[in-house]
């Protein structure tokens, strides 16, 4: 009798463990768009277009983000926590400078627009500002305007395929890039577990989408658990073989929309 009770107890716990994280998630900007807010947008061009500067992405085009990318001011960047988040942006209130029909662009945060130490810089706190890659900007506004009023809202990120994990570093220091994240797109926490000695271990955000740990990951098939800013978890079981090598990229499971 006692063992039957224990058994049921264990089953109930297992079910709660599997179901609760999904139920308790607030779904903040993961399944439905947020509300519209007003801001301004500018653009940048040149070599920096493909370079995911402050989020630590190397080449955003190669990583599949295309040039639908944006550098955001500090209040949206949140010291890297905002990296990977997605926005819908429309140019508004300027017949002269907005493209007709108020088209939307959908962009991913890949960089920071840092404050300038002039008193009224567009990226200075508390301003919410979008410095767009030029091709994205040109879909909504005229080049000559330079800066336009916009409305924006958080939207779920649409990505092809699974979450990608690129492992760099060496035996004593591992750096895992976590990218191509759907759903909220921005990552709140990352944990890793091995099929050997390594128990669930939290990683620390070092730089935008890059997470580090000093735990020994070598020689084990690794499982990663990623938590989005909406609270949901996605667990990618045994995405690496035991003999994975530094520099390799592995594809896991993505968030459902
Ligand atoms: C890490 O683990 C592997 C496999 O278990 C082992 O061969 C290696 O010596 C360990 N490295 C360190 C630095 O402990």
């Amino acid at each position: 009798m006692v063992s039957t009770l224990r058994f049921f107890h264990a089953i109930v716990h297992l079910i709660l463990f599997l179901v609760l994280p999904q139920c308790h998630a607030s779904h903040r900007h993961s399944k439905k768009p947020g509300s519209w807010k007003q801001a301004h947008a500018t653009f940048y061009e040149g070599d920096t277009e493909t370079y995911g500067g402050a989020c630590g992405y190397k080449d955003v085009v190669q990583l599949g983000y295309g040039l639908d990318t944006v550098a955001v001011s500090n209040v949206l960047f949140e010291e890297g926590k905002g990296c990977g988040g997605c926005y819908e942006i429309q140019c508004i209130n300027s017949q002269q400078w907005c493209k007709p029909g108020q088209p939307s662009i959908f962009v991913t945060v890949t960089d920071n627009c840092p404050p300038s130490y002039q008193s009224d810089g567009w990226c200075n706190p508390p301003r919410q500002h979008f410095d767009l890659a030029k091709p994205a900007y040109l879909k909504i506004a005229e080049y000559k305007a330079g800066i336009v009023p916009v409305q924006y809202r958080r939207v779920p990120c649409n990505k092809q395929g699974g979450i990608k994990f690129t492992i760099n570093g060496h035996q004593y220091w591992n750096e895992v890039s976590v990218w191509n994240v759907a759903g909220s797109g921005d990552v709140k926490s990352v944990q890793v577990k091995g099929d050997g000695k390594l128990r669930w271990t939290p990683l620390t955000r070092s730089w935008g989408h890059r997470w580090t740990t000093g735990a020994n990951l070598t020689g084990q098939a690794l499982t990663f658990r990623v938590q989005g800013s909406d609270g949901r978890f996605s667990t990618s079981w045994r995405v690496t073989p035991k003999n994975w090598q530094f520099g390799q990229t592995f594809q896991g499971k993505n968030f459902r929309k």
Side-chain angles (χ1 to χ4, degrees):
M1 187 62 196
V2 171
S3 66
T4 324
L5 272 179
R6 277 217 186 127
F7 176 73
F8 275 110
H9 209 161
I11 293 289
V12 167
H13 271 254
L14 179 67
I15 289 170
L16 289 180
F17 175 77
L18 292 173
V19 169
L20 275 185
Q22 278 84 3
C23 294
H24 279 196
S26 64
H27 300 304
R28 189 169 72 102
H29 26 89
S30 65
K31 299 206 166 178
K32 280 189 281 184
S35 52
W36 289 106
K37 293 177 190 158
Q38 307 219 338
H40 284 81
T42 46
F43 66 88
Y44 59 94
E45 57 187 323
D47 293 346
T48 55
E49 275 180 355
T50 60
Y51 171 67
C55 288
Y57 301 109
K58 274 187 185 145
D59 182 324
V60 293
V61 173
Q62 224 172 48
L63 296 184
Y65 294 96
L67 288 176
D68 293 325
T69 58
V70 64
V72 291
S73 58
N74 280 8
V75 286
L76 298 169
F77 184 71
E78 293 184 89
E79 296 177 318
K81 293 194 195 86
C83 291
C86 298
Y87 290 93
E88 178 179 3
I89 300 176
Q90 300 176 335
C91 179
I92 55 162
N93 300 334
S94 172
Q95 283 206 342
Q96 188 182 8
W97 300 124
C98 295
K99 291 269 155 89
Q102 203 167 301
S104 288
I105 48 169
F106 295 88
V107 291
T108 305
V109 174
T110 56
D111 202 356
N112 177 217
C113 176
S116 82
Y117 290 95
Q118 293 161 348
S119 56
D120 59 348
W122 282 106
C123 289
N124 288 10
R127 283 197 170 129
Q128 314 201 330
H129 188 82
F130 296 87
D131 196 23
L132 294 158
K134 193 173 97 183
Y137 171 92
L138 289 178
K139 291 178 190 169
I140 59 167
E142 297 299 331
Y143 178 81
K144 271 198 193 158
I147 179 161
V148 289
V150 296
Q151 65 176 3
Y152 73 93
R153 59 182 181 176
R154 274 298 291 263
V155 290
C157 295
N158 238 328
K159 303 291 177 202
Q160 298 277 318
I163 297 178
K164 305 279 177 66
F165 302 92
T166 304
I167 313 174
N168 283 301
H170 48 76
Q171 260 193 35
Y172 302 95
W173 183 79
N174 310 276
E175 185 191 63
V176 183
S177 293
V178 180
W179 50 285
N180 199 52
V181 181
S184 70
D186 50 357
V187 173
K188 187 168 169 185
S189 71
V190 180
Q191 293 166 271
V192 65
K193 178 180 135 33
D195 65 343
K197 283 190 193 134
L198 184 69
R199 306 271 178 116
W200 282 115
T201 304
L203 283 81
T204 306
R205 189 194 304 277
S206 70
W207 179 24
H209 82 307
R210 301 189 192 190
W211 296 77
T212 60
T213 174
N216 183 6
L217 308 185
T218 304
Q220 299 187 51
L222 302 174
T223 294
F224 290 98
R225 178 170 287 158
V226 175
Q227 185 182 24
S229 69
D230 58 0
R232 286 192 292 162
F233 290 89
S234 172
T235 306
S236 298
W237 291 98
R238 293 168 147 270
V239 283
T240 77
K242 281 185 194 296
N243 62 347
W244 63 267
Q245 302 294 313
F246 288 104
Q248 288 184 314
T249 296
F250 303 96
Q251 180 162 219
K253 191 171 150 252
N254 225 325
F255 290 99
R256 270 185 265 152
K257 272 187 68 179

